[in-house]
Structure formats: structure tokens, C-alpha cells
Amino acid sequence: MTDAAVNLPVARIHPDAILPSYGRAGDAGLDLHSVKDVSIAPLQRVLIPTGISLAIPAGYAGFILPRSGHALKAGLTLVNAPGLIDSNYRGEICIIAYNSDPKTTITLAAGDRIAQLVIQAVPQLSVVECRSDELSDTARGQAGFGSSGD
């Protein structure tokens, strides 16, 4: 494993945007911030802008994940978690937030941390068609949902 950092070009497309940053050394996710005040009614979903766009390097992808503190304390989660950002996307990063609490409105202020961004290497694969009996065998085989006993 290398200690060389991968550069992530980030553009502020809103003057009040906060650049993504790690909360602590060793964190996997970069904090993403709201660029505007938002109220999310119970069981409502809202698109929250971050005011930034990215140039994720080729061979990588961004994954937007909920913040565990917001999820536990307020029921704030993401509808499409993880949200996927392809390396060729240059538009604004927006968060599809959902208030899972059936009674309480969630209020977020501009500048609040609302999600986290994890960048991961993703190889480009060559799809090779084959017959199902040509797939390699595994101990799990075709066992699916609930097959591990949970």
C-alpha cells in the first residue's frame, strides 16, 4: 500500500461552498456540507446542494454515504446510499436526503455536514459472455438472501 495521496480537484460553484475535508486523520470519508438551509419534513426526501463539483480521477469513483451521527440522532439517511459519482461527471454534487423519522422535522443549516464522500479505485472490466456452467464454483454457490443465517 502506498502513502501517496491521489489529488481530487474540487471546484466551488457556489461562493459559500465548503470544500470536502476529513474530520480526523485516518477517516475514509470526506465530509460534505450543505450550501443552503434545509428543512426536511417527516418521511420527506429533499435534494440538498453542496455547491461543489469534482474531477474524480479516471479509475476511481465516489460513493456518497450517510453520516452515522445524523442517522442515529435524527433519522437522516440517503435515499440511494451509496450514491455513485462516476469519474466523468462534472456537475454539482447533490445529496438525496431522507427524513426517516415519522414525527420530527430535520433542520439543517448552510455549512452543516450532511454526508460523506468515499473515493475508491474501480477497475474497468471487460465483460466476457459465457454459459452458467462455465462460471467458477464457490462454497456459497447460488445461495442468496438470508443464506448466511441472518
Side-chain angles (χ1 to χ4, degrees), residues 22-63:
Y22 293 107
R24 294 184 180 88
D27 284 356
L30 294 152
D31 288 326
L32 296 174
H33 303 261
S34 176
V35 77
K36 68 177 193 172
D37 297 337
V38 177
S39 289
I40 310 171
L43 306 178
Q44 180 187 28
R45 63 184 176 272
V46 176
L47 189 66
I48 304 174
T50 64
I52 61 168
S53 58
L54 311 171
I56 297 172
Y60 292 84
F63 298 90

Side-chain angles (χ1 to χ4, degrees):
M1 187 163 237
T2 179
D3 289 332
V6 175
N7 288 330
L8 178 64
V10 179
R12 288 181 217 252
I13 57 176
H14 186 283
D16 298 328
I18 298 172
L19 296 182
S21 62
Y22 293 107
R24 294 184 180 88
D27 284 356
L30 294 152
D31 288 326
L32 296 174
H33 303 261
S34 176
V35 77
K36 68 177 193 172
D37 297 337
V38 177
S39 289
I40 310 171
L43 306 178
Q44 180 187 28
R45 63 184 176 272
V46 176
L47 189 66
I48 304 174
T50 64
I52 61 168
S53 58
L54 311 171
I56 297 172
Y60 292 84
F63 298 90
I64 298 177
L65 301 155
R67 298 188 69 250
S68 57
H70 276 313
L72 176 63
K73 295 173 189 169
L76 180 67
T77 190
L78 306 182
V79 175
N80 64 329
L84 172 63
I85 305 169
D86 295 310
S87 64
N88 60 0
Y89 176 69
R90 295 296 182 268
E92 182 175 12
I93 303 303
C94 294
I95 309 304
I96 307 171
Y98 178 71
N99 179 355
S100 67
D101 189 293
K103 296 180 181 175
T104 306
T105 295
I106 297 172
T107 302
L108 302 168
D112 282 355
R113 296 177 296 163
I114 55 171
Q116 53 189 332
L117 170 66
V118 175
I119 304 293
Q120 292 184 309
V122 288
Q124 289 292 297
L125 305 175
S126 296
V127 176
V128 179
E129 185 175 6
C130 66
R131 296 185 322 268
S132 61
D133 64 352
E134 294 177 311
L135 298 174
S136 61
D137 289 328
T138 67
R140 178 178 181 171
Q142 294 183 21
F145 300 102
S147 65
S148 65
D150 296 328

